[in-house]
């Protein structure tokens, strides 16, 4: 049983590329749900089109990675419009249905044989982000005591966390403006906003597009970081991890998605590493728990931790519990 | 209901109270409104000398029930016009239709001379016809100040591309804040300025909703049951505000169930029953109108002249 290992793994999880990417996607989701009240249960769909925008542009069409990034962003905008135009005039739950279905339809579409010449079907695409890694300014790996990051990961983390900060700053500026005030008013009661002369539909659409683009960029970053895309990595569970992250950190706070993502990945890697270590060293008998079950079990524990958090801090780590108490109408 | 139930001494007492109430409370605006409506006959669908809202043939069905079927209705400018009628008479539905919150089956209506039938609710609000809701819609997790500031129209910072550029809207925001603060003071919500609106009492929310609506600079304000669930002390203050608005020249349409309130502040009353307008007139006309009494008021409220009208 090596606790230094377990802890250093957990910290690597908290600051690593996944944490940055999930934080970025959660910033977009937070703009949807936390600030506008849009029930988006298909955020992974935006990530998928963002990722494939990059992958298809480079691998299939032979375009530059940066053009691919723009294609990914354009795809997220189109997806937001497709999801939003028919549903945003209706009650909130219709968007929830459309997004959850839309994300799954997209996943099946991208993995279908029919789309395989473009998307690589079930095998996906790989090795399309060399342009990104060619720019890597880090020549050697980083070792801070037991903490260790490869030069590659460092570069992804730098880009990832920089984007998280940029996106959060943008959301901060937007939310503190009169535009943000209208969004928050829509979250509280869209009929009231409409009665005061606000074009609610247009604001909801703007929020859906902007949050979707942030999600799309997060998806593109996953594709770039792993140098591969596979449709089945963009399954509905990702959306729900993002929801967990957002609520954990505190929905409708600026730093909530960032803190939430760090805690989420800290817990996930800590439990994974702990269980693996414990089974390997025989602290947990092998006939009780063996290697392959660890991956599943760790999310059981993550769920348990989230449950405890919801009981003791229902508004999230950064949320204002006073706000929650207001919801009794 | 037989005539023996009417106790003459009670009626006299009631008449006296109403008369003194009317005389003492009569403001400039009330006198002006009374003068403007002086020659108008008390019959359904009558034309007004200076109508701000004109509705024609507005109807709406829910399933088999015709909820609203208004042939013609005009609302006089700078008056307090009350819509009354039993529950389910179609007052609130009519409100929803003309304010763009619901789509009618048929009908056209115009506001300030412009046809606004079928316009989306937010455009109607921007034209200066603002409504409030029966179930108050305080924006819970916004502060009182934010609630009121939201009402301002033409905000540069409400465009997404301007929003991150603080310097574009900073000056305007300051003016809006000033105006909002004035309104908050006027509606005596100063102590709640920076509190979440969700912490307010029901009556304070009614005040907040009215202040917020005023921020839009409306020419007409439609209040859906502004007194519902408000304690009697606050009712007086709300009434004061409403009358003050009328005296400032605003047109007010309100749905209300409290008859004493209606009779004391309205310049004109429109009576709904089963979706249609069955009577219109000044409070005195309505009090003595046989149809209204039958449909709604009950004989106890009526003045003795109702018997004369019958003939």
């Amino acid at each position: 049983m090596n606790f230094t290992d377990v802890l250093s793994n957990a910290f690597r999880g908290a600051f690593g590329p996944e944490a940055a990417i999930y934080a970025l996607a959660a910033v977009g989701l937070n703009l949807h749900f936390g600030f506008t009240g849009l029930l988006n249960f298909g955020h992974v769909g935006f990530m998928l089109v963002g990722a494939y925008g990059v992958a298809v542009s480079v691998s299939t069409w032979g375009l530059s990675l940066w053009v691919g990034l723009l294609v990914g962003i354009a795809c997220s905008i189109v997806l937001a419009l497709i999801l939003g135009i028919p549903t945003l005039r209706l009650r909130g739950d219709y968007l929830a249905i459309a997004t959850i279905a839309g994300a799954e339809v997209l996943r099946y579409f991208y993995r279908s044989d029919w789309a395989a010449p473009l998307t690589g079907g079930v095998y996906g695409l790989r090795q399309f982000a060399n342009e990104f890694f060619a720019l890597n300014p880090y020549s050697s790996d980083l070792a801070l005591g037991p903490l260790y990051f490869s030069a590659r990961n460092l570069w992804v983390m730098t880009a990832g966390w920089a984007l998280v900060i940029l996106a959060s700053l943008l959301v901060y500026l937007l939310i503190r403006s009169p535009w943000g005030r209208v969004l928050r008013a829509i979250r509280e009661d869209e009929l009231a906003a409409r009665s005061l002369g606000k074009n609610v539909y247009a604001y909801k659409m703007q929020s859906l597009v902007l949050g979707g683009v942030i999600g799309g960029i997060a998806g593109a970053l996953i594709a770039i970081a792993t140098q591969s895309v596979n449709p089945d990595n963009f399954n509905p569970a990702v959306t729900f991890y993002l929801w967990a992250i957002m609520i954990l950190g505190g929905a409708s706070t600026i730093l909530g998605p960032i803190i939430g993502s760090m805690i989420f990945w800290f817990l996930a890697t800590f439990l994974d590493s702990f269980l693996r270590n414990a089974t390997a060293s025989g602290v947990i008998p092998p006939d009780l728990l063996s290697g392959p079950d660890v991956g599943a079990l760790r999310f059981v524990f993550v769920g348990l931790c989230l449950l405890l958090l919801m009981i003791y801090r229902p508004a999230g780590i950064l949320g204002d519990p006073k706000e929650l108490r207001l919801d009794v109408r | 209901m037989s005539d023996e139930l009417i106790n003459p001494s009670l009626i006299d007492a009631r008449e006296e109270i109403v008369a003194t109430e009317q005389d003492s409370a009569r403001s400039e605006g009330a006198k002006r409104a009374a003068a403007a409506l002086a020659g108008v006959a008390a019959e359904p669908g009558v034309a007004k000398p200076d109508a701000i809202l004109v509705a024609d043939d507005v109807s709406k069905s829910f399933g088999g029930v015709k909820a609203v079927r208004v042939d013609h209705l005009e609302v006089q400018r700078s008056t307090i016009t009350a819509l009354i009628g039993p529950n389910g008479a179609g007052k609130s539905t009519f409100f929803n239709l003309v304010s763009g919150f619901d789509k009618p089956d048929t009908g056209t209506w115009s506001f300030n001379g412009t046809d606004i039938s079928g316009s989306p609710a937010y455009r109607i609000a921007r034209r200066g016809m603002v409504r409030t809701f029966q179930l108050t819609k305080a924006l819970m997790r916004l502060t009182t100040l934010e609630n009121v500031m939201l009402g301002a129209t033409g905000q540069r910072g409400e465009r997404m591309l301007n929003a991150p550029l603080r310097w574009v809207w900073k000056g305007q925001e300051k003016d809006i804040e000033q105006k909002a603060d004035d309104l908050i003071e006027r509606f005596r919500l100063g102590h709640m300025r920076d509190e979440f609106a969700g912490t307010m009492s029901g009556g304070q929310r009614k005040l907040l909703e009215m202040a917020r609506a005023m921020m839009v600079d409306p020419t007409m304000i439609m209040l859906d049951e502004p007194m519902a669930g408000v304690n009697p002390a606050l009712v007086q203050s709300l009434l004061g505000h409403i009358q003050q608005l009328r005296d400032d020249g605003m047109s007010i349409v309100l749905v209300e169930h409290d008859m004493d309130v209606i009779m004391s502040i309205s310049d004109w009353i429109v009576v709904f029953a089963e979706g249609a307008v069955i009577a219109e007139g000044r409070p005195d006309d309505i009090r003595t109108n046989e149809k209204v009494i039958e449909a709604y008021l009950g004989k106890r409220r009526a003045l003795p002249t109702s018997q004369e009208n019958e003939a």
Side-chain angles (χ1 to χ4, degrees), chain A residues 177 179 181 184 188 197-199 203, chain B residues 122 126 141 146 150 152 155 157-158 173:
Chain A
S177 75
W179 184 80
R181 187 163 60 215
R184 286 182 297 134
E188 298 301 309
K198 311 300 174 200
N199 185 354
Y203 282 103
Chain B
Y122 75 93
R126 282 185 201 169
R141 286 180 287 173
E146 285 176 317
L150 181 75
Q155 298 191 40
E158 284 187 355
E173 184 84 345

mmCIF file with all atom_site columns, all heavy atoms in Angstrom, chain A residues 177 179 181 184 188 197-199 203, chain B residues 122 126 141 146 150 152 155 157-158 173:
data_model
loop_
_atom_site.group_PDB
_atom_site.id
_atom_site.type_symbol
_atom_site.label_atom_id
_atom_site.label_alt_id
_atom_site.label_comp_id
_atom_site.label_asym_id
_atom_site.label_entity_id
_atom_site.label_seq_id
_atom_site.pdbx_PDB_ins_code
_atom_site.Cartn_x
_atom_site.Cartn_y
_atom_site.Cartn_z
_atom_site.occupancy
_atom_site.B_iso_or_equiv
_atom_site.pdbx_formal_charge
_atom_site.auth_seq_id
_atom_site.auth_comp_id
_atom_site.auth_asym_id
_atom_site.auth_atom_id
_atom_site.pdbx_PDB_model_num
ATOM 1   N N   . SER A 1 177 ? -23.046 41.811 -16.861 1.00 0.00 ? 177 SER A N   1
ATOM 2   C CA  . SER A 1 177 ? -23.561 42.882 -17.715 1.00 0.00 ? 177 SER A CA  1
ATOM 3   C C   . SER A 1 177 ? -25.092 42.826 -17.730 1.00 0.00 ? 177 SER A C   1
ATOM 4   O O   . SER A 1 177 ? -25.684 41.873 -17.232 1.00 0.00 ? 177 SER A O   1
ATOM 5   C CB  . SER A 1 177 ? -23.051 42.684 -19.134 1.00 0.00 ? 177 SER A CB  1
ATOM 6   O OG  . SER A 1 177 ? -23.758 41.622 -19.741 1.00 0.00 ? 177 SER A OG  1
ATOM 7   N N   . TRP A 1 179 ? -26.827 42.100 -20.156 1.00 0.00 ? 179 TRP A N   1
ATOM 8   C CA  . TRP A 1 179 ? -27.176 40.882 -20.905 1.00 0.00 ? 179 TRP A CA  1
ATOM 9   C C   . TRP A 1 179 ? -27.307 39.702 -19.936 1.00 0.00 ? 179 TRP A C   1
ATOM 10  O O   . TRP A 1 179 ? -28.275 38.937 -19.999 1.00 0.00 ? 179 TRP A O   1
ATOM 11  C CB  . TRP A 1 179 ? -26.086 40.601 -21.941 1.00 0.00 ? 179 TRP A CB  1
ATOM 12  C CG  . TRP A 1 179 ? -26.362 39.435 -22.847 1.00 0.00 ? 179 TRP A CG  1
ATOM 13  C CD1 . TRP A 1 179 ? -27.164 39.447 -23.947 1.00 0.00 ? 179 TRP A CD1 1
ATOM 14  C CD2 . TRP A 1 179 ? -25.805 38.110 -22.756 1.00 0.00 ? 179 TRP A CD2 1
ATOM 15  N NE1 . TRP A 1 179 ? -27.159 38.199 -24.535 1.00 0.00 ? 179 TRP A NE1 1
ATOM 16  C CE2 . TRP A 1 179 ? -26.346 37.369 -23.835 1.00 0.00 ? 179 TRP A CE2 1
ATOM 17  C CE3 . TRP A 1 179 ? -24.932 37.484 -21.873 1.00 0.00 ? 179 TRP A CE3 1
ATOM 18  C CZ2 . TRP A 1 179 ? -26.021 36.036 -24.050 1.00 0.00 ? 179 TRP A CZ2 1
ATOM 19  C CZ3 . TRP A 1 179 ? -24.608 36.155 -22.085 1.00 0.00 ? 179 TRP A CZ3 1
ATOM 20  C CH2 . TRP A 1 179 ? -25.148 35.441 -23.158 1.00 0.00 ? 179 TRP A CH2 1
ATOM 21  N N   . ARG A 1 181 ? -27.941 39.913 -16.837 1.00 0.00 ? 181 ARG A N   1
ATOM 22  C CA  . ARG A 1 181 ? -29.102 40.136 -15.968 1.00 0.00 ? 181 ARG A CA  1
ATOM 23  C C   . ARG A 1 181 ? -30.366 39.593 -16.636 1.00 0.00 ? 181 ARG A C   1
ATOM 24  O O   . ARG A 1 181 ? -31.209 38.989 -15.982 1.00 0.00 ? 181 ARG A O   1
ATOM 25  C CB  . ARG A 1 181 ? -29.242 41.637 -15.706 1.00 0.00 ? 181 ARG A CB  1
ATOM 26  C CG  . ARG A 1 181 ? -30.284 41.991 -14.690 1.00 0.00 ? 181 ARG A CG  1
ATOM 27  C CD  . ARG A 1 181 ? -30.082 43.391 -14.190 1.00 0.00 ? 181 ARG A CD  1
ATOM 28  N NE  . ARG A 1 181 ? -30.152 44.390 -15.235 1.00 0.00 ? 181 ARG A NE  1
ATOM 29  C CZ  . ARG A 1 181 ? -29.414 45.495 -15.268 1.00 0.00 ? 181 ARG A CZ  1
ATOM 30  N NH1 . ARG A 1 181 ? -28.559 45.744 -14.324 1.00 0.00 ? 181 ARG A NH1 1
ATOM 31  N NH2 . ARG A 1 181 ? -29.535 46.349 -16.265 1.00 0.00 ? 181 ARG A NH2 1
ATOM 32  N N   . ARG A 1 184 ? -30.330 35.790 -16.339 1.00 0.00 ? 184 ARG A N   1
ATOM 33  C CA  . ARG A 1 184 ? -30.704 35.315 -15.009 1.00 0.00 ? 184 ARG A CA  1
ATOM 34  C C   . ARG A 1 184 ? -32.194 35.532 -14.760 1.00 0.00 ? 184 ARG A C   1
ATOM 35  O O   . ARG A 1 184 ? -32.846 34.732 -14.083 1.00 0.00 ? 184 ARG A O   1
ATOM 36  C CB  . ARG A 1 184 ? -29.853 36.007 -13.939 1.00 0.00 ? 184 ARG A CB  1
ATOM 37  C CG  . ARG A 1 184 ? -28.418 35.454 -13.939 1.00 0.00 ? 184 ARG A CG  1
ATOM 38  C CD  . ARG A 1 184 ? -27.573 36.073 -12.868 1.00 0.00 ? 184 ARG A CD  1
ATOM 39  N NE  . ARG A 1 184 ? -27.432 37.508 -13.101 1.00 0.00 ? 184 ARG A NE  1
ATOM 40  C CZ  . ARG A 1 184 ? -27.584 38.435 -12.154 1.00 0.00 ? 184 ARG A CZ  1
ATOM 41  N NH1 . ARG A 1 184 ? -27.841 38.070 -10.923 1.00 0.00 ? 184 ARG A NH1 1
ATOM 42  N NH2 . ARG A 1 184 ? -27.446 39.692 -12.452 1.00 0.00 ? 184 ARG A NH2 1
ATOM 43  N N   . GLU A 1 188 ? -35.091 32.738 -13.827 1.00 0.00 ? 188 GLU A N   1
ATOM 44  C CA  . GLU A 1 188 ? -36.060 32.818 -12.737 1.00 0.00 ? 188 GLU A CA  1
ATOM 45  C C   . GLU A 1 188 ? -37.486 32.689 -13.249 1.00 0.00 ? 188 GLU A C   1
ATOM 46  O O   . GLU A 1 188 ? -38.286 31.996 -12.660 1.00 0.00 ? 188 GLU A O   1
ATOM 47  C CB  . GLU A 1 188 ? -35.902 34.143 -11.988 1.00 0.00 ? 188 GLU A CB  1
ATOM 48  C CG  . GLU A 1 188 ? -34.556 34.332 -11.327 1.00 0.00 ? 188 GLU A CG  1
ATOM 49  C CD  . GLU A 1 188 ? -34.242 33.247 -10.327 1.00 0.00 ? 188 GLU A CD  1
ATOM 50  O OE1 . GLU A 1 188 ? -35.087 32.981 -9.463  1.00 0.00 ? 188 GLU A OE1 1
ATOM 51  O OE2 . GLU A 1 188 ? -33.162 32.647 -10.418 1.00 0.00 ? 188 GLU A OE2 1
ATOM 52  N N   . GLY A 1 197 ? -40.564 43.240 -21.932 1.00 0.00 ? 197 GLY A N   1
ATOM 53  C CA  . GLY A 1 197 ? -40.094 43.617 -23.260 1.00 0.00 ? 197 GLY A CA  1
ATOM 54  C C   . GLY A 1 197 ? -38.812 42.930 -23.696 1.00 0.00 ? 197 GLY A C   1
ATOM 55  O O   . GLY A 1 197 ? -38.137 43.419 -24.607 1.00 0.00 ? 197 GLY A O   1
ATOM 56  N N   . LYS A 1 198 ? -38.464 41.810 -23.053 1.00 0.00 ? 198 LYS A N   1
ATOM 57  C CA  . LYS A 1 198 ? -37.242 41.116 -23.472 1.00 0.00 ? 198 LYS A CA  1
ATOM 58  C C   . LYS A 1 198 ? -37.596 39.998 -24.446 1.00 0.00 ? 198 LYS A C   1
ATOM 59  O O   . LYS A 1 198 ? -38.507 39.209 -24.176 1.00 0.00 ? 198 LYS A O   1
ATOM 60  C CB  . LYS A 1 198 ? -36.514 40.501 -22.260 1.00 0.00 ? 198 LYS A CB  1
ATOM 61  C CG  . LYS A 1 198 ? -36.326 41.440 -21.093 1.00 0.00 ? 198 LYS A CG  1
ATOM 62  C CD  . LYS A 1 198 ? -35.513 42.652 -21.442 1.00 0.00 ? 198 LYS A CD  1
ATOM 63  C CE  . LYS A 1 198 ? -35.495 43.628 -20.274 1.00 0.00 ? 198 LYS A CE  1
ATOM 64  N NZ  . LYS A 1 198 ? -35.147 44.997 -20.691 1.00 0.00 ? 198 LYS A NZ  1
ATOM 65  N N   . ASN A 1 199 ? -36.832 39.904 -25.525 1.00 0.00 ? 199 ASN A N   1
ATOM 66  C CA  . ASN A 1 199 ? -37.048 38.851 -26.519 1.00 0.00 ? 199 ASN A CA  1
ATOM 67  C C   . ASN A 1 199 ? -36.408 37.562 -25.991 1.00 0.00 ? 199 ASN A C   1
ATOM 68  O O   . ASN A 1 199 ? -35.276 37.219 -26.324 1.00 0.00 ? 199 ASN A O   1
ATOM 69  C CB  . ASN A 1 199 ? -36.430 39.273 -27.845 1.00 0.00 ? 199 ASN A CB  1
ATOM 70  C CG  . ASN A 1 199 ? -36.720 38.275 -28.941 1.00 0.00 ? 199 ASN A CG  1
ATOM 71  O OD1 . ASN A 1 199 ? -37.291 37.211 -28.691 1.00 0.00 ? 199 ASN A OD1 1
ATOM 72  N ND2 . ASN A 1 199 ? -36.329 38.613 -30.150 1.00 0.00 ? 199 ASN A ND2 1
ATOM 73  N N   . TYR A 1 203 ? -32.568 35.536 -26.511 1.00 0.00 ? 203 TYR A N   1
ATOM 74  C CA  . TYR A 1 203 ? -31.559 35.413 -25.447 1.00 0.00 ? 203 TYR A CA  1
ATOM 75  C C   . TYR A 1 203 ? -31.239 33.954 -25.166 1.00 0.00 ? 203 TYR A C   1
ATOM 76  O O   . TYR A 1 203 ? -30.085 33.580 -24.972 1.00 0.00 ? 203 TYR A O   1
ATOM 77  C CB  . TYR A 1 203 ? -32.051 36.092 -24.159 1.00 0.00 ? 203 TYR A CB  1
ATOM 78  C CG  . TYR A 1 203 ? -31.922 37.594 -24.210 1.00 0.00 ? 203 TYR A CG  1
ATOM 79  C CD1 . TYR A 1 203 ? -33.023 38.400 -24.432 1.00 0.00 ? 203 TYR A CD1 1
ATOM 80  C CD2 . TYR A 1 203 ? -30.680 38.195 -24.049 1.00 0.00 ? 203 TYR A CD2 1
ATOM 81  C CE1 . TYR A 1 203 ? -32.906 39.773 -24.487 1.00 0.00 ? 203 TYR A CE1 1
ATOM 82  C CE2 . TYR A 1 203 ? -30.553 39.565 -24.099 1.00 0.00 ? 203 TYR A CE2 1
ATOM 83  C CZ  . TYR A 1 203 ? -31.666 40.352 -24.322 1.00 0.00 ? 203 TYR A CZ  1
ATOM 84  O OH  . TYR A 1 203 ? -31.543 41.702 -24.378 1.00 0.00 ? 203 TYR A OH  1
ATOM 85  N N   . TYR B 2 122 ? -43.216 40.479 -26.078 1.00 0.00 ? 122 TYR B N   1
ATOM 86  C CA  . TYR B 2 122 ? -42.148 41.430 -25.748 1.00 0.00 ? 122 TYR B CA  1
ATOM 87  C C   . TYR B 2 122 ? -42.257 42.701 -26.576 1.00 0.00 ? 122 TYR B C   1
ATOM 88  O O   . TYR B 2 122 ? -41.936 43.786 -26.107 1.00 0.00 ? 122 TYR B O   1
ATOM 89  C CB  . TYR B 2 122 ? -40.769 40.774 -25.903 1.00 0.00 ? 122 TYR B CB  1
ATOM 90  C CG  . TYR B 2 122 ? -40.282 40.568 -27.312 1.00 0.00 ? 122 TYR B CG  1
ATOM 91  C CD1 . TYR B 2 122 ? -39.492 41.523 -27.930 1.00 0.00 ? 122 TYR B CD1 1
ATOM 92  C CD2 . TYR B 2 122 ? -40.611 39.424 -28.027 1.00 0.00 ? 122 TYR B CD2 1
ATOM 93  C CE1 . TYR B 2 122 ? -39.035 41.347 -29.226 1.00 0.00 ? 122 TYR B CE1 1
ATOM 94  C CE2 . TYR B 2 122 ? -40.159 39.235 -29.316 1.00 0.00 ? 122 TYR B CE2 1
ATOM 95  C CZ  . TYR B 2 122 ? -39.374 40.191 -29.912 1.00 0.00 ? 122 TYR B CZ  1
ATOM 96  O OH  . TYR B 2 122 ? -38.931 40.013 -31.192 1.00 0.00 ? 122 TYR B OH  1
ATOM 97  N N   . ARG B 2 126 ? -42.769 46.549 -25.273 1.00 0.00 ? 126 ARG B N   1
ATOM 98  C CA  . ARG B 2 126 ? -41.909 47.666 -25.675 1.00 0.00 ? 126 ARG B CA  1
ATOM 99  C C   . ARG B 2 126 ? -42.708 48.835 -26.211 1.00 0.00 ? 126 ARG B C   1
ATOM 100 O O   . ARG B 2 126 ? -42.259 49.971 -26.165 1.00 0.00 ? 126 ARG B O   1
ATOM 101 C CB  . ARG B 2 126 ? -40.937 47.197 -26.766 1.00 0.00 ? 126 ARG B CB  1
ATOM 102 C CG  . ARG B 2 126 ? -39.787 46.411 -26.200 1.00 0.00 ? 126 ARG B CG  1
ATOM 103 C CD  . ARG B 2 126 ? -38.805 46.090 -27.274 1.00 0.00 ? 126 ARG B CD  1
ATOM 104 N NE  . ARG B 2 126 ? -37.971 44.970 -26.892 1.00 0.00 ? 126 ARG B NE  1
ATOM 105 C CZ  . ARG B 2 126 ? -37.171 44.335 -27.727 1.00 0.00 ? 126 ARG B CZ  1
ATOM 106 N NH1 . ARG B 2 126 ? -37.101 44.701 -28.992 1.00 0.00 ? 126 ARG B NH1 1
ATOM 107 N NH2 . ARG B 2 126 ? -36.446 43.330 -27.313 1.00 0.00 ? 126 ARG B NH2 1
ATOM 108 N N   . ARG B 2 141 ? -33.982 35.024 -7.400  1.00 0.00 ? 141 ARG B N   1
ATOM 109 C CA  . ARG B 2 141 ? -32.550 35.092 -7.109  1.00 0.00 ? 141 ARG B CA  1
ATOM 110 C C   . ARG B 2 141 ? -31.888 36.302 -7.769  1.00 0.00 ? 141 ARG B C   1
ATOM 111 O O   . ARG B 2 141 ? -30.712 36.273 -8.086  1.00 0.00 ? 141 ARG B O   1
ATOM 112 C CB  . ARG B 2 141 ? -31.883 33.788 -7.534  1.00 0.00 ? 141 ARG B CB  1
ATOM 113 C CG  . ARG B 2 141 ? -32.212 32.648 -6.578  1.00 0.00 ? 141 ARG B CG  1
ATOM 114 C CD  . ARG B 2 141 ? -31.565 31.368 -6.985  1.00 0.00 ? 141 ARG B CD  1
ATOM 115 N NE  . ARG B 2 141 ? -32.221 30.814 -8.155  1.00 0.00 ? 141 ARG B NE  1
ATOM 116 C CZ  . ARG B 2 141 ? -31.771 29.755 -8.819  1.00 0.00 ? 141 ARG B CZ  1
ATOM 117 N NH1 . ARG B 2 141 ? -30.665 29.179 -8.440  1.00 0.00 ? 141 ARG B NH1 1
ATOM 118 N NH2 . ARG B 2 141 ? -32.423 29.282 -9.857  1.00 0.00 ? 141 ARG B NH2 1
ATOM 119 N N   . GLU B 2 146 ? -31.841 44.715 -9.031  1.00 0.00 ? 146 GLU B N   1
ATOM 120 C CA  . GLU B 2 146 ? -31.718 44.076 -10.345 1.00 0.00 ? 146 GLU B CA  1
ATOM 121 C C   . GLU B 2 146 ? -33.076 43.845 -10.974 1.00 0.00 ? 146 GLU B C   1
ATOM 122 O O   . GLU B 2 146 ? -33.266 44.031 -12.178 1.00 0.00 ? 146 GLU B O   1
ATOM 123 C CB  . GLU B 2 146 ? -30.988 42.728 -10.206 1.00 0.00 ? 146 GLU B CB  1
ATOM 124 C CG  . GLU B 2 146 ? -29.504 42.857 -9.976  1.00 0.00 ? 146 GLU B CG  1
ATOM 125 C CD  . GLU B 2 146 ? -28.839 41.511 -9.751  1.00 0.00 ? 146 GLU B CD  1
ATOM 126 O OE1 . GLU B 2 146 ? -29.397 40.668 -9.017  1.00 0.00 ? 146 GLU B OE1 1
ATOM 127 O OE2 . GLU B 2 146 ? -27.764 41.300 -10.312 1.00 0.00 ? 146 GLU B OE2 1
ATOM 128 N N   . LEU B 2 150 ? -33.975 45.634 -14.530 1.00 0.00 ? 150 LEU B N   1
ATOM 129 C CA  . LEU B 2 150 ? -34.280 44.798 -15.687 1.00 0.00 ? 150 LEU B CA  1
ATOM 130 C C   . LEU B 2 150 ? -35.349 45.428 -16.579 1.00 0.00 ? 150 LEU B C   1
ATOM 131 O O   . LEU B 2 150 ? -35.350 45.252 -17.791 1.00 0.00 ? 150 LEU B O   1
ATOM 132 C CB  . LEU B 2 150 ? -34.762 43.427 -15.196 1.00 0.00 ? 150 LEU B CB  1
ATOM 133 C CG  . LEU B 2 150 ? -35.095 42.406 -16.279 1.00 0.00 ? 150 LEU B CG  1
ATOM 134 C CD1 . LEU B 2 150 ? -33.805 41.875 -16.877 1.00 0.00 ? 150 LEU B CD1 1
ATOM 135 C CD2 . LEU B 2 150 ? -35.918 41.276 -15.705 1.00 0.00 ? 150 LEU B CD2 1
ATOM 136 N N   . ALA B 2 152 ? -35.835 48.431 -17.570 1.00 0.00 ? 152 ALA B N   1
ATOM 137 C CA  . ALA B 2 152 ? -35.469 49.514 -18.482 1.00 0.00 ? 152 ALA B CA  1
ATOM 138 C C   . ALA B 2 152 ? -35.356 48.998 -19.913 1.00 0.00 ? 152 ALA B C   1
ATOM 139 O O   . ALA B 2 152 ? -34.831 47.922 -20.153 1.00 0.00 ? 152 ALA B O   1
ATOM 140 C CB  . ALA B 2 152 ? -34.154 50.134 -18.044 1.00 0.00 ? 152 ALA B CB  1
ATOM 141 N N   . GLN B 2 155 ? -31.567 49.018 -23.440 1.00 0.00 ? 155 GLN B N   1
ATOM 142 C CA  . GLN B 2 155 ? -30.275 48.945 -22.763 1.00 0.00 ? 155 GLN B CA  1
ATOM 143 C C   . GLN B 2 155 ? -29.215 48.455 -23.737 1.00 0.00 ? 155 GLN B C   1
ATOM 144 O O   . GLN B 2 155 ? -29.326 47.380 -24.299 1.00 0.00 ? 155 GLN B O   1
ATOM 145 C CB  . GLN B 2 155 ? -30.346 47.994 -21.562 1.00 0.00 ? 155 GLN B CB  1
ATOM 146 C CG  . GLN B 2 155 ? -31.335 48.438 -20.502 1.00 0.00 ? 155 GLN B CG  1
ATOM 147 C CD  . GLN B 2 155 ? -31.175 47.632 -19.221 1.00 0.00 ? 155 GLN B CD  1
ATOM 148 O OE1 . GLN B 2 155 ? -30.077 47.325 -18.802 1.00 0.00 ? 155 GLN B OE1 1
ATOM 149 N NE2 . GLN B 2 155 ? -32.298 47.306 -18.600 1.00 0.00 ? 155 GLN B NE2 1
ATOM 150 N N   . GLY B 2 157 ? -26.257 47.447 -23.048 1.00 0.00 ? 157 GLY B N   1
ATOM 151 C CA  . GLY B 2 157 ? -25.552 46.291 -22.503 1.00 0.00 ? 157 GLY B CA  1
ATOM 152 C C   . GLY B 2 157 ? -26.332 44.999 -22.614 1.00 0.00 ? 157 GLY B C   1
ATOM 153 O O   . GLY B 2 157 ? -25.831 43.951 -22.244 1.00 0.00 ? 157 GLY B O   1
ATOM 154 N N   . GLU B 2 158 ? -27.560 45.071 -23.101 1.00 0.00 ? 158 GLU B N   1
ATOM 155 C CA  . GLU B 2 158 ? -28.338 43.842 -23.240 1.00 0.00 ? 158 GLU B CA  1
ATOM 156 C C   . GLU B 2 158 ? -28.062 43.149 -24.565 1.00 0.00 ? 158 GLU B C   1
ATOM 157 O O   . GLU B 2 158 ? -28.611 42.092 -24.836 1.00 0.00 ? 158 GLU B O   1
ATOM 158 C CB  . GLU B 2 158 ? -29.835 44.144 -23.092 1.00 0.00 ? 158 GLU B CB  1
ATOM 159 C CG  . GLU B 2 158 ? -30.224 44.385 -21.647 1.00 0.00 ? 158 GLU B CG  1
ATOM 160 C CD  . GLU B 2 158 ? -31.711 44.512 -21.439 1.00 0.00 ? 158 GLU B CD  1
ATOM 161 O OE1 . GLU B 2 158 ? -32.463 44.512 -22.437 1.00 0.00 ? 158 GLU B OE1 1
ATOM 162 O OE2 . GLU B 2 158 ? -32.128 44.623 -20.277 1.00 0.00 ? 158 GLU B OE2 1
ATOM 163 N N   . GLU B 2 173 ? -25.962 52.463 -17.664 1.00 0.00 ? 173 GLU B N   1
ATOM 164 C CA  . GLU B 2 173 ? -26.292 51.641 -16.500 1.00 0.00 ? 173 GLU B CA  1
ATOM 165 C C   . GLU B 2 173 ? -26.472 52.516 -15.255 1.00 0.00 ? 173 GLU B C   1
ATOM 166 O O   . GLU B 2 173 ? -27.347 52.271 -14.437 1.00 0.00 ? 173 GLU B O   1
ATOM 167 C CB  . GLU B 2 173 ? -25.169 50.614 -16.287 1.00 0.00 ? 173 GLU B CB  1
ATOM 168 C CG  . GLU B 2 173 ? -25.425 49.632 -15.167 1.00 0.00 ? 173 GLU B CG  1
ATOM 169 C CD  . GLU B 2 173 ? -26.270 48.438 -15.574 1.00 0.00 ? 173 GLU B CD  1
ATOM 170 O OE1 . GLU B 2 173 ? -26.907 48.515 -16.656 1.00 0.00 ? 173 GLU B OE1 1
ATOM 171 O OE2 . GLU B 2 173 ? -26.310 47.456 -14.831 1.00 0.00 ? 173 GLU B OE2 1
#
